[in-house]
Amino acid sequence: MNVLLVNPTRTGMDTHVTPPMHLVYVAHAIKRAGHKAKIIDAHYLYFKNRNTNKSKFDFESEMVDEIAEKDFDLLGVGSIASGYHFTKRVINAIKRKRPKTPVIVGGGMSMSLKNLWQDKSEVDFLVESDGEKVIQKFLDVYPNKDELEKIPGL
């Protein structure tokens, strides 16, 4: 399975940007499980290009298009709660273009915003614990819904 992991842009402006180590760990777990993983660091790309004439909305629209064009079977997004708005737009746009592609959200933004995800987006799965362990078990049993329900933290 090809998994695309996205580190979303966040509300506000950071004074510096660090690599999305949380997604690096998840990507490594995916590869250990025999699958492929790629990361798009949208927050870094926005930070890097913030001095252009593009508005944040234009940048986000371009990122949605870029993400939708990638070759992936599963979309994973992980960040902190302030990445919610961008992530919701990305997920809903991806679901319009690729309705059968499963979407999994983890990190601080998943369970802290559980009701929003369930009511306002098209997220398929939320991770409430260590993403590295959950994603490996997820990839072992997907799409068997009975087995997915048995995964602790999913």
Side-chain angles (χ1 to χ4, degrees), residues 3 7 24 29 31 34 38 41 54 60 66 74 81-82 88 90 93 97 106 117 121-122 128 132 139 142 151:
V3 182
N7 184 41
V24 172
K31 290 177 182 180
K38 291 193 178 198
D41 189 352
K54 290 181 190 173
E60 289 180 355
E66 182 179 333
L74 170 67
S82 61
K88 181 182 81 168
V90 167
K97 294 179 181 204
W117 290 121
S121 77
E122 298 183 53
E128 66 175 334
E132 300 93 331
L139 293 169
Y142 184 81
I151 298 174

Side-chain angles (χ1 to χ4, degrees), residues 81-85 87-89 91-92 105 108-123 126:
S82 61
Y84 169 77
H85 295 288
T87 303
K88 181 182 81 168
R89 286 192 291 274
I91 290 169
N92 290 344
V105 172
M109 70 168 21
S110 67
M111 297 311 285
S112 64
L113 302 171
K114 181 179 179 179
N115 292 337
L116 283 174
W117 290 121
Q118 291 174 333
D119 298 341
K120 306 277 185 193
S121 77
E122 298 183 53
V123 168
L126 295 172

Side-chain angles (χ1 to χ4, degrees), residues 33-105:
H35 300 275
K36 296 178 182 177
K38 291 193 178 198
I39 299 171
I40 292 180
D41 189 352
H43 189 64
Y44 168 76
L45 294 173
Y46 177 69
F47 186 80
K48 181 176 140 184
N49 294 304
R50 72 180 178 179
N51 293 325
T52 66
N53 291 327
K54 290 181 190 173
S55 70
K56 188 165 185 179
F57 179 79
D58 290 338
F59 172 80
E60 289 180 355
S61 296
E62 288 177 12
M63 286 306 306
V64 166
D65 291 340
E66 182 179 333
I67 291 166
E69 291 172 6
K70 298 287 183 190
D71 178 29
F72 61 95
D73 307 305
L74 170 67
L75 177 65
V77 184
S79 186
I80 57 177
S82 61
Y84 169 77
H85 295 288
F86 172 76
T87 303
K88 181 182 81 168
R89 286 192 291 274
V90 167
I91 290 169
N92 290 344
I94 295 299
K95 284 296 202 172
R96 281 193 299 278
K97 294 179 181 204
R98 301 169 67 160
K100 294 185 185 223
T101 300
V103 175
I104 188 167
V105 172

